[in-house]
Amino acid sequence: MSREKTIFTRIIEGELPCHKLFEDEYVIAFLDIQPLARGHTLVVPKESAPSMDKLSAESASALGRSLPSLCRAVMRATGATAYNLLQNNGREAGMSVPHVHIHIIPRYPDSTHSFLWGPGEIDHSEASKLAEAISATMD
Ligand code: AMP
């Protein structure tokens, strides 16, 4: 069953405009249209996977490979002092465009946005079983 084209596929195919920073065979990067901070960038694989677990290893490698250089460029061009990489998967996780993408969100001395969460406490005996279960399920 074919899915409807995402906004990002429409950008990749040139149907919609974007402020493009970078493009190669597998990846495109452009500025977020509703930036959380100046220079907020989206790094998007051209393969239209709805979440990271569905992305091919080939696209994932290209995505990962592009990141250090893009992060450096965003930092240099904006003068940001730090940045967050954010990657949502699934609506419940805050994903609004179901096409894998990584946010590069610059941080400035006067930035006020936050990604704080309340840390829990690990249960080591449950954690060791869980780590084993996850490890055993990897393909
Ligand atoms: P997420 O909530 O992780 O799915 O992030 C989707 C991001 O895509 C949001 O930060 C939007 O502002 C951004 N976005 C949506 N449409 C466009 C567009 N046409 N060009 C650039 N960014 C977009």
Side-chain angles (χ1 to χ4, degrees):
M1 200 171 69
S2 73
R3 289 187 306 128
E4 211 176 292
K5 271 191 211 174
T6 66
I7 288 174
F8 294 165
T9 294
R10 296 178 65 199
I11 289 174
I12 290 161
E13 292 179 354
E15 230 180 87
L16 291 176
C18 72
H19 295 284
K20 185 160 67 181
L21 315 181
F22 168 79
E23 181 171 16
D24 69 9
E25 193 186 344
Y26 295 101
V27 175
I28 187 169
F30 49 86
L31 294 179
D32 195 295
I33 206 164
Q34 292 185 300
L36 199 55
R38 183 169 165 269
H40 182 163
T41 295
L42 298 175
V43 191
V44 183
K46 291 187 173 177
E47 180 187 337
S48 176
S51 54
M52 188 61 84
D53 51 287
K54 306 263 183 353
L55 190 65
S56 70
E58 199 178 30
S59 289
S61 306
L63 187 63
R65 242 189 344 260
S66 71
L67 282 174
S69 159
L70 277 165
C71 292
R72 282 194 294 275
V74 169
M75 293 282 281
R76 281 187 198 127
T78 61
T81 50
Y83 59 95
N84 293 91
L85 294 185
L86 182 73
Q87 206 272 312
N88 300 322
N89 295 277
R91 210 174 12 183
E92 299 82 355
M95 186 183 223
S96 59
V97 179
H99 183 140
V100 169
H101 53 281
I102 296 177
H103 298 256
I104 303 175
I105 305 173
R107 186 152 201 106
Y108 303 96
D110 61 352
S111 292
T112 53
H113 63 267
S114 98
F115 306 97
L116 292 179
W117 65 86
E121 209 162 300
I122 197 160
D123 169 340
H124 288 290
S125 90
E126 202 269 336
S128 83
K129 288 186 203 117
L130 183 60
E132 247 174 61
I134 295 171
S135 172
T137 321
M138 280 183 75
D139 48 29

